[in-house]
Amino acid sequence: MRGSCYSGPQMWLAQAWHIVHVSPSRGLSYAHRTTTCDDPSRYIHGCDWYPTVCALAGIDAHSDIPAGIPGIDGMDMWGYITGNVSKSPRTEIMISSEDTGAIISGDMKLIIGLQTYGFWQGPEYPNATTDHSKEKEFDCGVTGCLFNITADPSEYTDLAATHPSVLKQMHELFAQRNATAYETPKLAEDPEKCAAYVKANQGFLGPYMDTQSEL
């Protein structure tokens, strides 16, 4: 309950990861595999789609990274999506790198800080068990809340006090992953050039700055 596959505090979220791609021949392709956030053999993260699609196109997503930009965090999931491998290569999910963040590693999940939207509900969301009148905040503080989401998928039992060594390991992992967070630099804007580009291209917007120095 205290946190979820997303940044909110609900648990038992089954996610159907899929991708829809329109090919040049107008054919529609669809890849789908259901996964849950409480089974560490079935993790998939949104950032995994980029290297997965790149691999299908014969492109190495981990090469040609510009200087000053960290490498990608995604993994090629095609073998897992197609069922050629039974377990996902991903064992971690960094839910948020903020002060109210969370991380999943294997069976364990660490949640830090104040969490909102905190209430227990049934395995399917939304349904009649989703009672928003019971929403409340729950503060895991700087110490954090620790859950075994395999044994306790609804997150009823906080293990922070009884498993201090695991709690310490999860905090160290969170700090290590958090240190690699990257924020895209803000680019300069020119409203007049933007409007001129749109007018000249039948309403479509594209790169409108003239030189690299203007960015």
Side-chain angles (χ1 to χ4, degrees), residues 73-146:
D73 295 319
M75 301 178 178
D76 181 2
M77 291 288 175
W78 191 245
Y80 173 61
I81 292 170
T82 57
N84 290 329
V85 296
S86 60
K87 294 184 178 182
S88 167
R90 175 171 293 284
T91 60
E92 295 179 7
I93 295 180
M94 186 74 172
I95 298 176
S96 174
S97 61
E98 302 171 353
D99 293 338
T100 56
I103 187 171
I104 294 173
S105 179
D107 298 322
M108 307 308 295
K109 178 179 178 181
L110 172 68
I111 305 173
I112 302 171
L114 182 66
Q115 303 297 318
T116 59
Y117 199 63
F119 62 98
W120 280 281
Q121 58 188 21
E124 300 296 329
Y125 171 84
N127 61 18
T129 68
T130 309
D131 186 356
H132 292 284
S133 68
K134 295 182 179 179
E135 291 181 24
K136 62 180 181 180
E137 294 182 341
F138 188 89
D139 193 359
C140 288
V142 296
T143 300
C145 300
L146 181 68

Side-chain angles (χ1 to χ4, degrees), residues 5-213:
C5 287
Y6 304 102
S7 58
Q10 61 194 348
M11 197 47 190
W12 268 115
L13 290 178
Q15 303 176 25
W17 295 97
H18 57 271
I19 184 169
V20 177
H21 170 67
V22 179
S23 70
S25 60
R26 303 293 183 182
L28 184 66
S29 60
Y30 176 81
H32 170 97
R33 178 160 182 162
T34 299
T35 182
T36 60
C37 55
D38 58 344
D39 184 344
S41 71
R42 299 164 66 182
Y43 291 156
I44 298 179
H45 192 279
C47 69
D48 295 327
W49 284 119
Y50 173 69
T52 299
V53 174
C54 282
L56 290 174
I59 300 171
D60 182 5
H62 297 272
S63 64
D64 299 326
I65 304 296
I69 298 178
I72 64 171
D73 295 319
M75 301 178 178
D76 181 2
M77 291 288 175
W78 191 245
Y80 173 61
I81 292 170
T82 57
N84 290 329
V85 296
S86 60
K87 294 184 178 182
S88 167
R90 175 171 293 284
T91 60
E92 295 179 7
I93 295 180
M94 186 74 172
I95 298 176
S96 174
S97 61
E98 302 171 353
D99 293 338
T100 56
I103 187 171
I104 294 173
S105 179
D107 298 322
M108 307 308 295
K109 178 179 178 181
L110 172 68
I111 305 173
I112 302 171
L114 182 66
Q115 303 297 318
T116 59
Y117 199 63
F119 62 98
W120 280 281
Q121 58 188 21
E124 300 296 329
Y125 171 84
N127 61 18
T129 68
T130 309
D131 186 356
H132 292 284
S133 68
K134 295 182 179 179
E135 291 181 24
K136 62 180 181 180
E137 294 182 341
F138 188 89
D139 193 359
C140 288
V142 296
T143 300
C145 300
L146 181 68
F147 299 98
N148 184 322
I149 57 174
T150 300
D152 177 28
S154 293
E155 300 178 0
Y156 282 96
T157 306
D158 183 2
L159 304 174
T162 58
H163 292 67
S165 61
V166 178
L167 180 67
K168 181 175 181 293
Q169 292 173 3
M170 292 295 287
H171 268 285
E172 291 173 348
L173 181 63
F174 180 82
Q176 181 182 354
R177 298 291 181 259
N178 201 13
T180 66
Y182 176 78
E183 184 175 353
T184 305
K186 304 296 183 182
L187 299 179
E189 297 181 5
D190 188 322
E192 292 184 0
K193 287 186 177 181
C194 178
Y197 185 98
V198 171
K199 183 177 181 180
N201 290 274
Q202 300 179 332
F204 290 94
L205 180 62
Y208 58 83
M209 304 300 276
D210 296 329
T211 64
Q212 185 69 26
S213 62

